[in-house]
């Protein structure tokens, strides 16, 4: 099932595959930017351009809020202090209200997940998105049934780039971490996989804080998820 390039560079029969969510399976940017701008407007802060918000996604909602209030990727405490709790509260409500208004699956996502599922590869969804948003989003996009395990950014004591979510996944699925790989769009996915001791495929079309994924030397870069597979008869 796996094409020859992946077979020769990867693992011919992976026991597990971990998928990142935002920027890998789902383009959630429009709904995240919309909720964030509702939050900023309510706090009388200037709204942000979608292209800027895109660079701030990938390290969870609290970090997104801190970045937005600081207007930069490395948040400054004096900028978000005092506003953070209220901003988080407003964002959580706004995002829950329009979680899947304009978000959509990238090309071939459902087909690839379905094929892997039919071939009994254990799939895990490993995101930094809080679990309260992750589960309804998966349900709404009709891909929740493919995952044996779903880990949100607040499900464990540490989120990606910590290796913990991947180590926990392997433990839960009763496999070795090195018997599978991670598929993601951002530095946190690549670093998490390296730290956990497994290979990683990066998608070129995601967010990665506005930086090219090549910089982090993933094991393989793909432009479309269907490159994971070759057609099953
Ligand atoms: O930062 C987020 O909320 C989303 O992160 P993800 O790319 O790990 O799904
Ligand atoms: Mg991502």
């Amino acid at each position: 099932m796996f094409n020859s390039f992946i077979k020769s560079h990867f693992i011919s029969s992976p026991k597990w595959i971990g998928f990142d969510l935002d920027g890998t399976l789902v383009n959630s940017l429009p709904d995240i930017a919309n909720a964030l701008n509702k939050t900023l407007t309510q706090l009388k802060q200037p709204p942000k351009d979608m292209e800027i918000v895109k660079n701030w996604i990938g390290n969870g909602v609290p970090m997104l809020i801190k970045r937005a209030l600081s207007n930069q990727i490395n948040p400054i405490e004096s900028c978000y202090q005092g506003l953070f709790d209220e901003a988080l509260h407003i964002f959580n409500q706004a995002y829950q209200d329009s979680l899947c208004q304009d978000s959509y699956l990238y090309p071939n996502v459902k087909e690839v997940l379905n094929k892997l599922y039919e071939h009994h590869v254990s799939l895990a969804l490993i995101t930094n998105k809080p679990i309260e948003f992750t589960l309804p989003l998966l349900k709404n996009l009709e891909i929740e049934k493919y995952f044996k395990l779903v880990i949100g950014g607040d499900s464990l004591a540490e989120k990606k780039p910590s290796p913990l979510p991947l180590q926990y996944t392997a433990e839960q699925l009763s496999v070795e971490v090195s018997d599978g790989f991670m598929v993601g769009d951002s530095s946190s996915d690549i670093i998490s996989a390296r730290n956990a001791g497994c290979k990683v495929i990066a998608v070129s079309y995601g967010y990665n804080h506005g930086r090219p994924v090549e910089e982090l030397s993933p094991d393989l870069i793909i432009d479309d998820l269907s490159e994971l597979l070759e057609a099953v008869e």
Side-chain angles (χ1 to χ4, degrees), residues 20-24 32 56-61 126-130 160 185-186 188-189 207:
D20 170 61
L21 184 61
D22 294 332
T24 299
I32 292 177
W56 294 340
I57 298 174
N59 298 96
V61 167
I126 308 171
T127 176
N128 278 347
K129 196 183 211 52
K160 302 173 293 183
D185 72 312
S186 291
S188 57
D189 304 303
Y207 310 146

Side-chain angles (χ1 to χ4, degrees), residues 63-93:
M63 183 57 100
L64 171 73
I65 303 288
K66 288 176 186 176
R67 285 170 170 160
L69 293 172
S70 309
N71 198 30
Q72 64 165 62
I73 192 146
N74 298 311
I76 305 163
E77 203 175 337
S78 58
C79 295
Y80 63 77
Q81 220 178 23
L83 280 176
F84 177 78
D85 287 346
E86 198 185 349
L88 184 64
H89 181 77
I90 300 169
F91 178 89
N92 283 343
Q93 190 60 57

Side-chain angles (χ1 to χ4, degrees), residues 6-51:
I6 289 176
K7 266 184 194 154
S8 56
H9 287 74
F10 262 73
I11 302 162
S12 53
S13 312
K15 295 216 171 88
W16 72 279
I17 302 177
F19 284 95
D20 170 61
L21 184 61
D22 294 332
T24 299
L25 300 183
V26 183
N27 184 10
S28 43
L29 173 64
D31 290 321
I32 292 177
N34 187 31
L36 189 65
N37 281 333
K38 267 190 196 161
T39 308
L40 294 170
T41 306
Q42 231 172 293
L43 293 172
K44 305 200 179 352
Q45 302 269 321
K48 309 296 178 204
D49 203 78
M50 195 131 90
E51 279 307 300

Side-chain angles (χ1 to χ4, degrees), residues 18 38 48 53 57 69 71 97 119 170 184 201 205 211 218 223:
K38 267 190 196 161
K48 309 296 178 204
V53 177
I57 298 174
L69 293 172
N71 198 30
D97 289 347
H119 281 77
I201 296 182
Y205 53 77
R211 310 286 310 172
D223 299 323

Side-chain angles (χ1 to χ4, degrees), residues 4-232:
S4 51
F5 186 84
I6 289 176
K7 266 184 194 154
S8 56
H9 287 74
F10 262 73
I11 302 162
S12 53
S13 312
K15 295 216 171 88
W16 72 279
I17 302 177
F19 284 95
D20 170 61
L21 184 61
D22 294 332
T24 299
L25 300 183
V26 183
N27 184 10
S28 43
L29 173 64
D31 290 321
I32 292 177
N34 187 31
L36 189 65
N37 281 333
K38 267 190 196 161
T39 308
L40 294 170
T41 306
Q42 231 172 293
L43 293 172
K44 305 200 179 352
Q45 302 269 321
K48 309 296 178 204
D49 203 78
M50 195 131 90
E51 279 307 300
I52 302 283
V53 177
K54 183 177 174 180
N55 300 339
W56 294 340
I57 298 174
N59 298 96
V61 167
M63 183 57 100
L64 171 73
I65 303 288
K66 288 176 186 176
R67 285 170 170 160
L69 293 172
S70 309
N71 198 30
Q72 64 165 62
I73 192 146
N74 298 311
I76 305 163
E77 203 175 337
S78 58
C79 295
Y80 63 77
Q81 220 178 23
L83 280 176
F84 177 78
D85 287 346
E86 198 185 349
L88 184 64
H89 181 77
I90 300 169
F91 178 89
N92 283 343
Q93 190 60 57
Y95 191 43
Q96 195 65 261
D97 289 347
S98 56
L99 198 53
C100 210
Q101 216 155 271
D102 297 318
S103 297
Y104 57 88
L105 293 173
Y106 289 111
N108 300 311
V109 166
K110 209 176 263 184
E111 293 77 1
V112 169
L113 292 176
N114 194 47
K115 237 169 232 184
L116 293 168
Y117 179 82
E118 280 177 355
H119 281 77
H120 308 291
V121 182
S122 294
L123 306 181
L125 192 285
I126 308 171
T127 176
N128 278 347
K129 196 183 211 52
I131 199 76
E132 65 166 310
F133 303 131
T134 302
L135 295 173
L137 188 58
L138 293 177
K139 206 171 161 51
N140 223 297
L141 296 164
E142 300 179 334
I143 55 170
E144 87 278 16
K145 73 163 187 179
Y146 299 119
F147 300 103
K148 276 196 176 163
L149 187 66
V150 177
I151 300 175
D154 51 356
S155 298
L156 301 171
E158 293 172 15
K159 55 168 82 75
K160 302 173 293 183
S162 162
L164 184 67
L166 276 67
Q167 291 163 339
Y168 179 84
T169 297
E171 214 176 278
Q172 292 297 306
L173 300 175
S174 304
V175 293
E176 294 294 325
V177 180
S178 56
D179 285 341
F181 57 87
M182 181 71 195
V183 183
D185 72 312
S186 291
S187 53
S188 57
D189 304 303
I190 298 169
I191 297 166
S192 177
R194 294 251 181 274
N195 288 341
C198 68
K199 293 193 172 181
V200 56
I201 296 182
V203 299
S204 59
Y205 53 77
Y207 310 146
N208 194 33
H209 316 290
R211 310 286 310 172
V213 278
E214 287 86 348
E215 284 181 0
L216 292 139
S217 309
D219 297 287
L220 182 67
I221 300 174
I222 57 176
D223 299 323
D224 185 299
L225 214 62
S226 64
E227 289 174 51
L228 267 180
L229 309 174
E230 76 179 0
V232 177

